Amino acid sequence: MQQIRQAVTKESLFLELQRWCRDGAGKRNRTLQIMSAFASGPAVEALEPFFDVFLSDGNKIEIIVGIDRNGTTRDAIRQLYELQHAYTKRITCSIFNAPSRIAIFHPKLYLLHTPKTVSAMIGSANLTLGGLGNNFES
């Protein structure tokens, strides 16, 4: 088991996602799954070059972000939409809206499926710049 720390350390969600994407370059049959309550445009933009590397040889990415409480920015939705259209059939992006005002879609789950393993990061980090590395997250 590997401990990932945030913010001032060299181990962050951003660096781990970057590593996953780079490790997937030149390989096939890998899927990166992201479920996050919130996403921001700058965070998606920061990860996009690594997504490009990961997707270049036929890997897949599935992203679900929530729009409850206006936590996901319009820029993030636009960028995810553009990524989905740039990589038809290799990236799927979905938006989740809780069916009730008292509920909220609130996961922070990052999974990497390879032919032999599944790696997971679970904590409090959203797909935002704060969650990727600026905040102190669990």
Side-chain angles (χ1 to χ4, degrees), residues 28-63:
R28 294 179 178 257
N29 301 320
R30 292 174 180 239
T31 302
L32 175 61
Q33 293 179 304
I34 297 173
M35 290 179 62
S36 180
F38 308 130
S40 70
V44 174
E45 184 177 344
L47 288 169
E48 189 170 346
F50 305 105
F51 289 169
D52 289 338
V53 167
F54 184 78
L55 294 166
S56 65
D57 289 308
N59 293 314
K60 295 182 180 178
I61 298 176
E62 300 169 358
I63 301 174

Side-chain angles (χ1 to χ4, degrees), residues 8-81:
V8 296
T9 69
K10 62 183 180 179
E11 296 140 343
S12 66
L13 175 61
F14 177 75
L15 292 176
E16 191 65 12
L17 288 172
Q18 182 184 68
R19 187 180 68 77
W20 284 359
C21 289
R22 284 186 173 156
D23 288 349
K27 299 179 179 121
R28 294 179 178 257
N29 301 320
R30 292 174 180 239
T31 302
L32 175 61
Q33 293 179 304
I34 297 173
M35 290 179 62
S36 180
F38 308 130
S40 70
V44 174
E45 184 177 344
L47 288 169
E48 189 170 346
F50 305 105
F51 289 169
D52 289 338
V53 167
F54 184 78
L55 294 166
S56 65
D57 289 308
N59 293 314
K60 295 182 180 178
I61 298 176
E62 300 169 358
I63 301 174
I64 302 172
V65 297
I67 58 170
D68 304 313
R69 309 222 173 113
N70 298 316
T72 293
T73 66
R74 290 177 187 259
D75 282 346
I77 294 169
R78 180 186 49 78
Q79 288 170 311
L80 292 171
Y81 176 82

Side-chain angles (χ1 to χ4, degrees), residues 48 76-87 91 93:
E48 189 170 346
I77 294 169
R78 180 186 49 78
Q79 288 170 311
L80 292 171
Y81 176 82
E82 289 172 3
L83 274 172
Q84 183 169 287
H85 284 277
Y87 292 99
I91 184 168
C93 302

